[in-house]
Amino acid sequence: MSTIDVLNDESYMRLALDMASKAQGQTEINPVVGCVIVREGRIVGLGAHLRRGEGHAEVHALRMAGEQAEGATAYVTLEPCSHHGRTPPCCERLIEAKVARVVVACTDPNPQVAGRGLSRLREAGIAVEVGLLEEESLRMNEMFNKFIVTRMPFVTMKSAMTLDGKLAAKSGDSRYVSGPRAREMTHTLRHRHMGIMVGAETAIVDDPELSTRLSVPAVHPVRIVVDAKLRLPPEARMLREMIAPVIVLTVAGADPGKRAALKAAGAEVIDCGDGDRVDLALAMRKLGEREIGSILLEGGGKLNGAMLELGLIDKLLLFVAPKVIGGAGAPGVFQFEGFEKMAQAIPFRDVQVERIGADIFVSGYPEYGTGDRAGGAE
């Protein structure tokens, strides 16, 4: 293959990845996928998976290409599926269309696929190449990749803090730590997750709607409140404005009267443990059972700390505002018992730093040790 061919392959795959990225937040627990079909140096078909239960990217691209798909090359950001789900197998569609070559960014971690789609294409005599822009594709579908293997939601923790590590003043006032561009980005993040999770204190003090306010139509995620003592009032804003379901995570011994009042207001109340604190690991499993594959954690310091201690945070997004608020009692981003030695600190990998307006935006992935951790949240 010539250098020109390789460059063209990459440009077509980048186009497929770009189309896939535009559908983030629309496909629920399904991955985002893009497909470009090229014949004799000309694009004849384009497609992206837009919504769970509807046609996959390959189906849309093949429909556009029509008879021109025969002998063409299909560039797909994720291995074509080989099983019957809500839609027929995409690998069979490609075979029926008589494409000559399929270039795939990465294999599908879904145990129902996991290489079977590639094998089926090869058995049909189609040339298959795998691994072009693999890292980009894996990162784009990092939420799906975790959920489909573990059945546990991918948790992205998003927070904003001052230069001295505070997420609010000592009075509890937190409007606003970060600037307007950072707050606008928050709504895009909400759109891309299936659930937003906060603690009871945040829900009571801020009385948030936890909605996605974008200029384009957006999917509102499920609102999740960790509330062992059922302190969330039935007249809370998120219950008055039921634009999306509200789930309250509590414990078996919580006040039955408060439980009944929240249910009457429209909330689903789920028991997660029978102690005095919500068993967060159990909560994640129960949310996974409800096919909530991704959660944006916008908690206070105690919830953030408990989730980190348990190794339940997969990714950190932190806005650092160029200001100092002070106050010994002002809440920090992570509040937990902590470790005895600096060597025990939880490190982060793949850390990236950029400017978002006046704020500094830091992202990274925690690398947890092998020691046991126990914790919960009120």
Side-chain angles (χ1 to χ4, degrees), residues 262-307:
L262 287 171
K263 286 184 176 180
E268 179 183 5
V269 181
I270 302 175
D271 290 341
C272 301
D274 54 8
D276 58 357
R277 302 209 301 176
V278 172
D279 183 331
L280 293 171
L282 176 59
M284 292 302 104
R285 291 196 293 273
K286 289 196 172 187
L287 292 173
E289 289 170 1
R290 285 161 173 75
E291 295 196 331
I292 298 174
S294 58
I295 292 172
L296 184 65
L297 174 61
E298 296 190 48
K302 290 181 181 179
L303 181 56
N304 292 343
M307 291 285 287

Side-chain angles (χ1 to χ4, degrees), residues 177-325:
V177 177
S178 56
R181 286 190 58 191
R183 297 198 297 275
E184 181 180 346
M185 187 173 170
T186 294
H187 291 290
T188 299
L189 290 169
R190 288 178 176 180
H191 170 65
R192 292 182 175 180
H193 289 76
M194 295 184 68
I196 307 172
M197 189 165 80
V198 299
E201 192 69 23
T202 299
I204 293 167
V205 174
D206 294 348
D207 193 21
E209 183 183 84
L210 297 182
S211 63
T212 302
R213 294 186 287 277
L214 296 176
S215 57
V216 295
V219 178
H220 295 292
V222 174
R223 285 83 58 83
I224 304 164
V225 182
V226 180
D227 188 3
K229 297 178 182 178
L230 295 182
R231 294 188 294 145
L232 181 71
E235 63 274 11
R237 186 180 178 193
M238 69 177 74
L239 290 168
R240 295 197 315 271
E241 302 176 18
M242 290 293 286
I243 55 174
V246 174
I247 294 176
V248 178
L249 305 175
T250 191
V251 296
D255 186 295
K258 293 180 178 179
R259 183 190 300 269
L262 287 171
K263 286 184 176 180
E268 179 183 5
V269 181
I270 302 175
D271 290 341
C272 301
D274 54 8
D276 58 357
R277 302 209 301 176
V278 172
D279 183 331
L280 293 171
L282 176 59
M284 292 302 104
R285 291 196 293 273
K286 289 196 172 187
L287 292 173
E289 289 170 1
R290 285 161 173 75
E291 295 196 331
I292 298 174
S294 58
I295 292 172
L296 184 65
L297 174 61
E298 296 190 48
K302 290 181 181 179
L303 181 56
N304 292 343
M307 291 285 287
L308 188 70
E309 274 193 298
L310 284 165
L312 296 173
I313 293 174
D314 296 291
K315 186 175 185 177
L316 171 70
L317 304 177
L318 185 62
F319 296 96
V320 184
K323 61 182 74 169
V324 172
I325 190 68

Side-chain angles (χ1 to χ4, degrees), residues 141-161:
N141 278 313
E142 60 188 1
M143 299 177 192
F144 165 79
N145 295 341
K146 178 190 176 181
F147 177 78
I148 202 65
V149 173
T150 68
R151 309 308 291 185
M152 295 269 282
F154 184 100
V155 179
T156 305
M157 192 205 111
K158 189 278 302 179
S159 192
M161 73 175 193

Side-chain angles (χ1 to χ4, degrees), residues 86-160:
R86 294 190 176 190
T87 58
C90 290
C91 62
E92 299 300 334
R93 296 289 188 92
L94 291 165
I95 293 168
E96 291 170 6
K98 299 180 181 179
V99 299
R101 176 174 171 246
V102 177
V103 180
V104 177
C106 66
T107 56
D108 191 336
N110 185 345
Q112 292 184 295
V113 184
R116 294 183 182 88
L118 302 178
S119 296
R120 181 70 187 95
L121 292 171
R122 290 183 175 118
E123 289 170 1
I126 295 173
V128 177
E129 297 170 28
V130 185
L132 181 62
L133 302 182
E134 179 179 33
E135 186 175 341
E136 288 91 332
S137 180
L138 287 170
R139 184 61 55 86
M140 183 179 297
N141 278 313
E142 60 188 1
M143 299 177 192
F144 165 79
N145 295 341
K146 178 190 176 181
F147 177 78
I148 202 65
V149 173
T150 68
R151 309 308 291 185
M152 295 269 282
F154 184 100
V155 179
T156 305
M157 192 205 111
K158 189 278 302 179
S159 192

Side-chain angles (χ1 to χ4, degrees), residues 27-91:
T27 58
E28 300 182 32
I29 60 168
N30 281 8
V32 289
V33 184
C35 179
V36 175
I37 298 177
V38 178
R39 179 174 175 177
E40 298 176 355
R42 188 167 62 89
I43 295 174
V44 295
L46 298 169
H49 180 42
L50 301 176
R51 188 176 178 181
R52 186 184 183 193
E54 296 183 356
H56 289 184
E58 299 93 323
V59 173
H60 293 301
L62 287 169
R63 186 176 295 129
M64 179 178 175
E67 295 181 357
Q68 296 179 89
E70 184 173 351
T73 295
Y75 298 86
V76 193
T77 61
L78 186 68
E79 175 184 358
C81 63
S82 57
H83 66 289
H84 285 269
R86 294 190 176 190
T87 58
C90 290
C91 62

